[in-house]
Amino acid sequence: MRTFCKTLTGAFLCLTFSCAQAQSPVRGQEAIRLNQLGFYPNAAKIAVVVGEHQGGKFLLKTADQAKTVHTGQLSESKPAELSKRPTRVADFSSFNTPGTYVLEIPGVGQSYAFEIKPDVHKELAAASVKGFYFQRTATDLPEQYAGKWHRPAGHPDDKVLVHPSAATAQRPAGTVISSSKGWYDAGDYNKYIVNSGITMGTLLSAYEDFPGFFRAQNLNIPESNNTVPDLLDESLWNLRWMLTMQDPHDGGVYHKLTNPAFDGIIMPHQATGPRYVVQKGTAAALDFAAVMAQASRVYRGFSKEFPGLADSCLTAAVRAWDWARKNPKVAYEQDALNKSFDPDVSTGAYGDCDFTDEFIWAAAELYTTTKQDSYYKAVTMLPDPKMPLPSWPQVRLLGYYTLLRHKDKAGAVALQDLPEIRKRLLQMADGMVAGASQGAYKTVMGRVAQDYIWGSSSVAANQGIALIQAYQLTNDKKYLQAALSNLDYLLGRNAVGYSFVTGYGDKATLNPHHRPSMADGVKEPVPGLLSGGTNGQANKQDKCEGYTATSPDEMYLDVDCSYASNEIAINWNAPLVYLAGALEALQQKAGFAANLKK
Ligand code: 9MR
Ligand code: 9MR
């Protein structure tokens, strides 16, 4: 077992009851909540001071404290929306000289040191993609690429069994198939098509929206020296696995590749139990179809490097779509499945029984790639006025983003809906902007308790993506500013004061529920991984010891047993890749700096 107490920037942090006596009151660095990496020179720069305090002045000092470069007034005290804790804002947006600084609040203390510079999130943006490399199954991660987190290959998955729930005449139960490569889903070692779907859709969209930025990014992965952008090389590792999850006999797609029960807390190569592909389903088929249709479009640009890949993806997409049209209501219901088949399967369910949004996403991708109206017309593209934020069971907006992204090549059938989709997206984004300006933390994320679900960090990141889409459509800086507020949230301007990205920030997640990070004997967790973050129900869900929070925005424990607030997952990292990459890409564009100014 790892110890939960660690020394961090000089402070002794206590994370369980076992060492509660050393817990210090909230002040100093703990009380000053800000993006621990820093700020773009001409963007908003905000810190939030938490706790009782008389207010007054704040000072911006050089990190060596030799010089005060700026002073300002703290705002009036305001209770945070959920916890009602008093908060004040230090807004130093007008100061824009690059350098390394600390914020000093007389009577409270100093913040962590942070930078003001043009590409302040560049390393983070790369690390968030590199995080996927660390999730690779079936390959050694040598020191050359993985540094101190190098490890032997785990889960070759070249001999996977067809589970009785997935048996067909051509592939009876027990048939051995090869289903190699792919990423581990999260802190566990299984591979789930539904969750791979939104993950891949988000990563491929990041590339489609900001190809120049991702072409220039170097991740130091084994493929870094080829002519393909590293993001697409990395994504291909999972795409190749996804392709093997389609039954060649009927086009259906297995819901997941899994152990019957979660592995213990051991390294990947030590986890050698039997693995199964389990029941085909409609959500898996449609998410797969959407990803393959999009991948066909994206990898078409690399036909020389990957001959035939784009065509194979499109064929796979069409076959999965056809299967789903014939099998439009096959839900993955694990409990029911376990009543009929052995062995029982108790790993992540990713069960969803409403496929309206999966049909919309797959139709939008297939239509955009093929230009065939039949795909578009097969669904009701605007079934209701809702604009649900993307998450693994809700992918409608991924389809809308794609239609808007390719609006210039849209045919009549899509053109009739596009003004309405655009209008709804901007309404959604306007609501987010208004919310951010009213909130105690001045972030879009976290003003309402419903934001704090399992994986809430991805709520923040996906709100950021919606805002970037709005910015791309309008060029209106308010959307960009609001998107940036949520990156600030993820990196420390939040009610628990953590940066939720491992390895990034002075007070960043140290003990994620992530088997390799827990079992590798290396003190620091694998870097570039986004913790699921604050979750109002976490104490009831994982029942870890140590929760003291009573407010949903504070229900977070940086301990590795807290899988409901501190696991990492590919569908959470992907929107971080998008958000950090988009903001870096946009700040590189001439004039963007001035654009971000308040
Ligand atoms: O490690 C598992 C994690 O990946 C899942 O998100 C979580 C919820 O399904 O479950 C974790 O596994 C736990 C299991 O559910 C109960 N026993 C303890 C396991 C963690 O060590
Ligand atoms: O992200 C999933 C979350 O929405 C669910 O509430 C939770 C419990 O079912 O499961 C989460 O997904 C986990 C998956 O089931 C197994 N791998 C780890 C995932 C992240 O915790």
Side-chain angles (χ1 to χ4, degrees):
M1 269 307 277
R2 272 171 90 110
T3 155
F4 292 146
C5 296
K6 295 199 185 272
T7 304
L8 181 67
T9 56
F12 187 61
L13 280 192
C14 283
L15 304 166
T16 64
F17 283 148
S18 58
C19 55
Q21 70 277 6
Q23 201 139 23
S24 49
V26 179
R27 56 202 298 266
Q29 294 171 327
E30 280 289 297
I32 305 173
R33 309 285 164 80
L34 43 61
N35 179 329
Q36 294 168 27
L37 300 188
F39 306 91
Y40 295 122
N42 289 302
K45 300 172 199 73
I46 286 172
V48 175
V49 190
V50 186
E52 295 295 343
H53 175 244
Q54 79 278 15
K57 262 194 180 157
F58 67 84
L59 296 83
L60 192 62
K61 290 185 161 178
T62 51
D64 62 7
Q65 307 186 26
K67 245 172 72 187
T68 297
V69 293
H70 178 85
T71 57
Q73 285 292 323
L74 291 168
S75 70
E76 290 301 305
S77 183
K78 173 174 180 167
E81 287 75 21
L82 300 174
S83 71
K84 309 296 174 210
R85 266 183 223 281
T87 60
R88 291 175 191 270
V89 169
D91 185 338
F92 48 105
S93 303
S94 61
F95 181 81
N96 54 20
T97 310
T100 306
Y101 305 98
V102 291
L103 192 71
E104 184 173 299
I105 296 170
V108 174
Q110 287 183 345
S111 71
Y112 301 109
F114 57 87
E115 288 185 283
I116 295 180
K117 66 175 183 181
D119 55 359
V120 70
H121 301 115
K122 184 180 176 184
E123 278 179 45
L124 168 84
S128 61
V129 190
K130 181 82 176 251
F132 287 87
Y133 169 74
F134 286 110
Q135 293 294 96
R136 284 191 192 186
T137 68
T139 187
D140 292 334
L141 306 190
E143 193 169 2
Q144 180 187 359
Y145 307 114
K148 61 182 160 191
W149 299 279
H150 64 91
R151 59 166 173 83
H155 301 88
D157 287 341
D158 51 351
K159 293 184 195 70
V160 173
L161 302 167
V162 173
H163 189 263
S165 62
T168 56
Q170 292 97 333
R171 285 186 166 185
T175 304
V176 177
I177 66 166
S178 178
S179 189
S180 201
K181 299 194 174 178
W183 297 311
Y184 295 120
D185 182 60
D188 63 325
Y189 290 150
N190 304 298
K191 306 192 288 196
Y192 308 83
I193 284 292
V194 165
N195 207 41
S196 269
I198 183 169
T199 303
M200 294 290 285
T202 304
L203 294 176
L204 295 176
S205 296
Y207 178 76
E208 284 198 289
D209 283 341
F210 303 101
F213 174 78
F214 287 105
R215 272 197 293 267
Q217 193 175 55
N218 187 325
L219 304 178
N220 184 33
I221 57 175
E223 301 80 9
S224 283
N225 292 327
N226 69 11
T227 53
V228 179
D230 284 0
L231 175 65
L232 297 186
D233 278 322
E234 191 51 56
S235 300
L236 191 56
W237 193 266
N238 202 56
L239 191 74
R240 296 254 191 236
W241 163 65
M242 287 183 78
L243 282 165
T244 69
M245 289 291 279
Q246 184 168 47
D247 181 347
H249 304 287
D250 64 5
V253 178
Y254 303 112
H255 188 74
K256 60 177 172 175
L257 189 164
T258 187
N259 311 325
F262 285 115
D263 281 310
I265 306 301
I266 50 180
M267 289 300 282
H269 68 279
Q270 296 167 328
T272 54
R275 309 255 279 176
Y276 295 86
V277 288
V278 180
Q279 194 206 292
K280 292 165 196 163
T282 307
L286 291 169
D287 287 344
F288 174 100
V291 168
M292 290 303 158
Q294 187 177 17
S296 173
R297 218 161 57 224
V298 168
Y299 288 93
R300 180 79 59 197
F302 300 90
S303 303
K304 234 178 40 221
E305 290 86 347
F306 308 122
L309 177 64
D311 290 339
S312 303
C313 288
L314 189 54
T315 305
V318 171
R319 294 199 71 207
W321 168 264
D322 290 344
W323 186 93
R325 298 265 288 161
K326 281 186 223 128
N327 301 274
K329 285 188 184 134
V330 186
Y332 183 77
E333 291 172 282
Q334 198 153 276
D335 292 341
L337 180 148
N338 285 336
K339 290 198 182 106
S340 310
F341 304 104
D342 289 318
D344 281 10
V345 176
S346 59
T347 54
Y350 288 119
D352 179 13
C353 41
D354 178 351
F355 310 118
T356 321
D357 53 303
E358 284 82 6
F359 268 109
I360 288 176
W361 182 30
E365 297 298 346
L366 276 158
Y367 167 74
T368 301
T369 300
T370 64
K371 299 284 170 274
Q372 287 175 26
D373 288 358
S374 57
Y375 293 114
Y376 199 103
K377 289 185 181 154
V379 302
T380 305
M381 201 47 87
L382 302 171
D384 58 49
K386 292 183 195 151
M387 292 294 279
L389 197 70
S391 62
W392 64 261
Q394 180 45 260
V395 290
R396 186 202 295 197
L397 261 59
L398 301 192
Y400 291 176
Y401 294 162
T402 285
L403 293 173
L404 288 168
R405 173 180 309 127
H406 295 279
K407 58 185 176 309
D408 295 344
K409 292 183 217 127
V413 68
L415 281 173
Q416 68 186 16
D417 289 337
L418 279 171
E420 181 62 22
I421 295 177
R422 181 182 195 276
K423 191 180 99 194
R424 291 181 189 181
L425 180 66
L426 296 184
Q427 273 170 357
M428 175 193 192
D430 286 338
M432 291 182 186
V433 171
S437 63
Q438 291 152 17
Y441 282 80
K442 296 206 172 299
T443 59
V444 173
M445 172 65 188
R447 292 179 50 255
V448 291
Q450 297 89 291
D451 281 347
Y452 293 105
I453 53 170
W454 190 316
S456 69
S457 294
S458 72
V459 171
N462 275 305
Q463 289 170 337
I465 294 179
L467 288 156
I468 300 280
Q469 300 294 323
Y471 174 73
Q472 298 281 79
L473 290 172
T474 58
N475 242 4
D476 189 333
K477 65 188 175 188
K478 71 180 178 191
Y479 299 124
L480 213 47
Q481 198 76 263
L484 185 57
S485 81
N486 271 14
L487 191 57
D488 288 343
Y489 166 92
L490 291 174
L491 296 170
R493 199 167 93 219
N494 57 54
V496 293
Y498 273 91
S499 160
F500 293 118
V501 187
T502 55
Y504 287 81
D506 279 319
K507 186 186 175 185
T509 294
L510 264 186
N511 303 295
H513 183 80
H514 179 237
R515 282 172 173 70
S517 295
M518 290 158 80
D520 63 6
V522 178
K523 185 178 163 213
E524 294 83 4
V526 169
L529 300 176
L530 181 62
S531 165
T534 314
N535 167 5
Q537 301 297 314
N539 55 344
K540 295 180 200 125
Q541 288 164 335
D542 58 43
K543 302 191 174 71
C544 281
E545 279 188 11
Y547 287 105
T548 52
T550 50
S551 176
D553 56 341
E554 297 180 350
M555 193 71 78
Y556 171 71
L557 273 192
D558 184 20
V559 297
D560 52 35
C561 87
S562 175
Y563 53 76
S565 86
N566 208 29
E567 188 161 357
I568 64 92
I570 56 174
N571 63 313
W572 306 335
N573 249 67
L576 174 65
V577 166
Y578 188 109
L579 182 60
L583 288 166
E584 279 294 303
L586 291 169
Q587 69 86 30
Q588 281 175 10
K589 282 192 184 170
F592 173 70
N595 224 356
L596 260 188
K597 206 162 190 166
K598 279 185 107 180

